[in-house]
Amino acid sequence: FSHVFAISTKVNLRLTCWTNFIVINRLLRRLIDSLLNHILHDGLTKLPNRDYFKSCLASAIKRAKRYHSGFSLLFIDIDNFKEFNDVHGHKIGDDVLCHVTERISANLRPNDVFARLGGDEFAVILNQIDAKEAKHIAERCRSVVANGAFMSGGDILDISISVGAIWMLEHTEIDRIMD
């Protein structure tokens, strides 16, 4: 009987070790996922950051080369953004960034890559979108921001953006785009 008890104890210890290993492994995976999300996304807008965007752009260029195709890019800048910070304070400036992010995000496809490059600069990768369609999307983004009421302290603040759209071909170099 003591022999069976010893085997049973060893089995229980192994099961406990495996259970602990699985629990620790899951915790580590969640921690790594959280750290990667923090490293690759903007803390304020929760959009992908410049580094993540460059990685996605490199993938889009590789895809364009492989399939002999192209894609479009939008570069977006909030007009007179410095004025929001200087006149209304940085909290309002942050709110403007989030407002613009929400308005534009709601008008893009789930597979488009919308990123904050820094400050008030944003970019969008529009896979499988030609120059003509990119122009329409750029105008729609500009329009939804301009027509979206932004309230601050009981006042409606006018927000506008400038959007540039370019068609990317398979031979484009990433450094030429991001410089």
Side-chain angles (χ1 to χ4, degrees):
F1 180 72
S2 65
H3 178 69
V4 173
F5 179 74
I7 292 173
S8 175
T9 302
K10 285 182 181 179
V11 169
N12 283 337
L13 283 173
R14 285 185 180 156
L15 286 175
T16 301
C17 286
W18 276 109
T19 303
N20 289 340
F21 174 77
I22 291 169
V23 169
I24 291 169
N25 189 29
R26 286 181 182 158
L27 289 172
L28 285 173
R29 284 180 190 229
R30 278 192 238 142
L31 179 62
I32 290 169
D33 289 345
S34 176
L35 286 172
L36 282 175
N37 187 55
H38 182 72
I39 291 168
L40 297 175
H41 290 81
D42 176 61
L44 178 65
T45 63
K46 308 303 183 223
L47 290 175
N49 64 18
R50 181 182 207 85
D51 291 335
Y52 187 71
F53 180 81
K54 285 176 82 170
S55 173
C56 292
L57 183 57
S59 295
I61 291 170
K62 285 179 188 173
R63 204 170 25 260
K65 286 179 181 179
R66 184 177 330 127
Y67 297 111
H68 304 288
S69 63
F71 59 94
S72 292
L73 283 177
L74 301 181
F75 288 96
I76 302 166
D77 189 75
I78 300 174
D79 299 332
N80 305 310
F81 180 71
K82 186 177 180 327
E83 181 180 316
F84 287 107
N85 280 335
D86 291 349
V87 173
H88 303 286
H90 289 279
K91 168 69 172 102
I92 298 302
D94 287 351
D95 292 346
V96 167
L97 289 169
C98 291
H99 175 78
V100 168
T101 297
E102 290 168 9
R103 301 292 296 172
I104 293 172
S105 293
N107 285 277
L108 296 173
R109 303 171 302 171
N111 64 326
D112 295 331
V113 179
F114 180 33
R116 181 176 178 204
L117 301 181
D120 64 330
E121 298 174 354
F122 300 85
V124 183
I125 299 172
L126 302 168
N127 289 305
Q128 300 175 337
I129 295 291
D130 64 19
K132 183 178 179 183
E133 184 62 21
K135 183 179 176 183
H136 292 296
I137 294 168
E139 177 54 30
R140 186 173 67 224
C141 288
R142 191 205 58 72
S143 178
V144 299
V145 170
N147 295 326
F150 179 77
M151 298 290 293
S152 172
D155 296 327
I156 295 177
L157 302 180
D158 292 324
I159 302 172
S160 62
I161 59 173
S162 297
V163 184
I166 58 174
W167 170 245
M168 304 298 299
L169 299 173
E170 61 191 69
H171 60 272
T172 305
E173 297 294 325
I174 190 169
D175 293 333
R176 290 183 56 204
I177 299 165
M178 295 304 294
D179 287 341

